[in-house]
Amino acid sequence: MQYFAALKLGQKRVAASREYLNQFTNNRAMPALALQNSKSDVWEPVGEENLYAIVDESSGFVLTDTSGYIVAICDKGGFSKAIVQGVQRQECDNLVAQFEKDGIPKFSGKVILPV
């Protein structure tokens, strides 16, 4: 896929994921990755599917602040499309309950966050 076509499709998927996450986080969701990482000249947008992930230090990340968890909506490859930072335990539990109610599966694997 050409770079700009992949980017445009990825941006559309990011916007939809961010809009969904904003419904439950008081509009705190931020856009993340629109393209999958590639070591070649092949450009691919992030996947269409939505999975949720809770990122904490047990996920292999060192969170530099103590303000809570990162909640991500990602594709099946772990590429995050929308994230919200500083989520406290109770809010995190509420989000997980909402995701499960909406039929969004949990991602189990390494989440790829924007740098």
Side-chain angles (χ1 to χ4, degrees):
M1 184 177 280
Q2 291 183 344
Y3 173 79
F4 289 109
L7 181 61
K8 187 171 183 164
L9 182 55
Q11 288 173 327
K12 184 184 285 188
R13 292 174 179 172
V14 165
S17 295
R18 182 178 180 213
E19 183 178 324
Y20 170 76
L21 194 54
N22 267 334
Q23 294 177 51
F24 313 111
T25 62
N26 198 24
N27 293 319
R28 293 185 354 229
M30 297 178 287
L33 304 170
L35 296 172
Q36 296 180 11
N37 290 349
S38 174
K39 296 194 192 274
S40 67
D41 289 333
V42 177
W43 300 102
E44 292 295 329
V46 290
E48 186 174 2
E49 63 284 341
N50 284 330
L51 295 90
Y52 77 89
I54 308 302
V55 179
D56 60 13
E57 290 185 350
S58 71
S59 306
F61 291 96
V62 177
L63 300 180
T64 56
D65 61 30
T66 57
S67 62
Y69 301 92
I70 296 172
V71 176
I73 299 294
C74 60
D75 68 9
K76 67 181 178 186
F79 292 96
S80 57
K81 298 189 282 184
I83 63 171
V84 64
Q85 297 175 299
V87 178
Q88 298 302 309
R89 182 84 233 156
Q90 182 61 47
E91 184 183 11
C92 187
D93 293 342
N94 292 342
L95 286 169
V96 168
Q98 184 65 49
F99 297 148
E100 290 174 354
K101 178 181 172 192
D102 291 345
I104 296 179
K106 182 175 183 178
F107 176 76
S108 55
K110 184 168 171 81
V111 179
I112 301 164
L113 297 170
V115 179

